[in-house]
């Protein structure tokens, strides 16, 4: 992407991020714990990264507002509607993932 100017690159990255959010929204059945197990990030991570990026640029963005943007609704509402309790298998897989990271 070296041949693309910075403004266009930023637009492409922003469009890609919006598409990621749309994709996650279309697949609410994919739980955050599943994302954490497979990819080591989740919707909450995206929210935290948005807050950090805003802070780096001197913009004010609180975590709840970032989560509402990522989830497309207030987080508590999303949890009630779409989050299922983590299974014992999911919890074990997440623990194994964290253990593997600590050992690396």
């Amino acid at each position: 992407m070296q041949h693309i100017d910075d403004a266009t690159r930023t637009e492409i990255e922003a469009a890609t991020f919006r598409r990621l959010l749309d994709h996650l929204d279309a697949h609410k059945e994919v739980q955050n714990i599943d994302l954490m197990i497979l990819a080591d990030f989740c919707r909450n991570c995206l929210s935290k990264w948005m807050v950090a990026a805003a802070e780096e640029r001197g913009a004010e963005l609180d975590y709840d507002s970032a989560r509402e943007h990522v989830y497309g609704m207030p987080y508590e509402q999303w949890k009630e509607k779409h989050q299922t309790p983590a299974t014992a298998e999911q919890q074990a897989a997440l623990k194994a993932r964290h253990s593997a990271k600590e050992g690396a």
Side-chain angles (χ1 to χ4, degrees), residues 37 44 71:
I37 293 164
N44 290 325
Y71 284 92

Side-chain angles (χ1 to χ4, degrees), residues 6-90:
D6 286 346
T8 302
R9 182 183 49 78
T10 298
E11 289 176 19
I12 292 168
E13 291 169 346
T16 303
F17 180 72
R18 288 189 294 272
R19 187 165 180 179
L20 172 62
L21 293 182
D22 289 345
H23 185 77
L24 289 172
D25 189 53
H27 294 282
K28 292 177 180 76
E29 75 279 6
V30 178
Q31 298 294 300
N32 281 332
I33 194 167
D34 296 323
L35 291 169
M36 289 297 296
I37 293 164
L38 295 171
D40 202 28
F41 84 98
C42 69
R43 293 168 181 90
N44 290 325
C45 296
L46 291 174
S47 303
K48 290 174 185 175
W49 298 342
M50 286 185 75
V51 170
E55 287 176 0
E56 289 169 5
R57 287 153 182 81
E60 192 172 312
L61 177 63
D62 66 86
Y63 182 52
D64 287 334
S65 296
R67 281 206 302 191
E68 188 166 338
H69 180 73
V70 168
Y71 284 92
M73 63 184 72
Y75 176 64
E76 291 302 321
Q77 181 182 356
W78 192 92
K79 263 177 56 173
E80 288 174 23
K81 291 176 115 178
H82 305 291
Q83 187 168 309
T84 59
T87 65
E89 292 83 8
Q90 287 171 316

